[in-house]
Amino acid sequence: MLDRLGSWVCCICLLCMWGCASQVPFITARTTQEQLSKSEIQSCNLQRALELSKQEQSELQHKANQLHDENNFLYQKVEELNQTIRKKETVISLQETVIRLFDDENQTLQKNIKEQVAAQNSQVSSTLLFDKLVFLNNLLFQPGSDILSAGGKKKLKDLEGLLKQEKYTHIQVEGHADNRPLKSKAKYADNWELSALRATTVVRFLHDGVGIAPERMSATGFGHYRPVASSETVEGRQQNSRIEIILK
């Protein structure tokens, strides 16, 4: 009886041992399969990441090429602008030189004109708005007349260079007289008419004898109503009897 029981126990042990032994290959195979699956998943992930990296690299290279082209375009534009600036600087420098030459010439001309006017016992003055030349009537006209004397024509002719300057857009000629009454046989109604006729005579000569465009000029007579000195003295009356040429 004991021998039979021992045999059953041995059998049972052998069966258990066989069952455990048969499960070992199955567990090992399953573990290997799981590892392979994980490896495949990791490989796929790496492959996908590699493809994304290549795509990003391609996009970055494309952007880099675009930036390079834009940089070259901007560089060319900067060079063109620099050339334009250099050309403008050259033009400005030339303009400044020309303006300086004109200014020097104008200053020389103005100086010569002032010297000429001073030599003719006349006056010249300047303001920010206009220049003014003053000639006593006895230097331009025959006594008691609106006819220019030979000396008066020469004095006006000498002003040609000054009067033809383009900066003067208008030349206003004003006639003035002193308060002494005209002689009874005079052909003028009064000093007012005489001053207006003298101003008109100057304007006509500046057009006919000097070549000044008539649309640039005007003539006005003020008679003795705008004196610059006392009419009680000979010297004062001489200063009041005058022609003013105002250059604007």
Side-chain angles (χ1 to χ4, degrees), residues 5 46 50 79 148 173 209:
L5 180 60
L46 289 173
L50 179 61
E79 284 298 315
L148 282 170
V173 180

Side-chain angles (χ1 to χ4, degrees), residues 68-86:
H68 179 72
D69 294 339
E70 290 177 358
N71 184 58
N72 288 337
F73 175 77
L74 292 174
Y75 178 79
Q76 292 177 357
K77 286 295 183 182
V78 169
E79 284 298 315
E80 291 176 359
L81 289 174
N82 286 335
Q83 291 179 2
T84 302
I85 290 173
R86 285 193 291 269

Side-chain angles (χ1 to χ4, degrees), residues 157 200-214 217:
K157 184 67 176 177
T200 302
T201 299
V202 171
V203 166
R204 288 188 179 276
F205 180 80
L206 292 179
H207 171 55
D208 298 335
V210 181
I212 306 300
M217 298 185 291

Side-chain angles (χ1 to χ4, degrees), residues 19-189:
C20 291
S22 64
Q23 286 181 355
V24 171
F26 175 77
I27 293 172
T28 303
R30 187 176 63 182
T31 302
T32 304
Q33 184 65 35
E34 290 176 351
Q35 292 177 348
L36 287 174
S37 297
K38 290 180 180 180
S39 297
E40 289 177 355
I41 292 173
Q42 291 177 351
S43 177
C44 290
N45 291 336
L46 289 173
Q47 183 67 29
R48 191 177 296 110
L50 179 61
E51 291 176 355
L52 290 174
S53 177
K54 289 182 178 179
Q55 183 178 357
E56 291 176 354
Q57 183 180 3
S58 177
E59 291 176 354
L60 289 174
Q61 184 63 41
H62 179 67
K63 290 182 179 179
N65 292 336
Q66 285 183 333
L67 291 174
H68 179 72
D69 294 339
E70 290 177 358
N71 184 58
N72 288 337
F73 175 77
L74 292 174
Y75 178 79
Q76 292 177 357
K77 286 295 183 182
V78 169
E79 284 298 315
E80 291 176 359
L81 289 174
N82 286 335
Q83 291 179 2
T84 302
I85 290 173
R86 285 193 291 269
K87 289 180 180 179
K88 288 185 177 181
E89 287 176 347
T90 301
V91 172
I92 291 173
S93 178
L94 291 174
Q95 289 176 341
E96 289 177 347
T97 301
V98 172
I99 291 172
R100 186 166 56 252
L101 290 174
F102 273 113
D103 286 343
D104 292 342
E105 181 179 354
N106 182 57
Q107 290 175 3
T108 301
L109 178 60
Q110 292 282 7
K111 182 179 179 181
N112 291 338
I113 291 295
K114 288 182 179 181
E115 290 176 350
Q116 292 175 14
V117 172
Q120 296 167 357
N121 295 322
S122 301
Q123 300 174 2
V124 58
S125 60
S126 300
T127 69
L128 293 176
L129 300 178
F130 58 85
D131 294 331
K132 181 170 67 174
L133 306 175
V134 181
F135 295 90
L136 300 183
N137 281 326
N138 59 8
L139 297 176
L140 299 179
F141 296 96
Q142 297 178 9
S145 171
D146 63 327
I147 300 175
L148 282 170
S149 64
K153 292 179 180 179
K154 183 179 183 306
K155 287 176 173 58
L156 295 176
K157 184 67 176 177
D158 290 338
L159 300 177
E160 180 175 358
L162 175 65
L163 301 181
K164 287 187 175 180
Q165 291 188 47
E166 294 183 357
K167 69 175 183 178
Y168 297 123
T169 59
H170 182 68
I171 300 173
Q172 179 178 334
V173 180
E174 297 181 354
H176 299 268
D178 56 38
N179 63 348
R180 292 176 299 176
L182 297 176
K183 295 179 180 180
S184 58
K185 295 182 180 180
K187 62 178 182 179
Y188 312 105

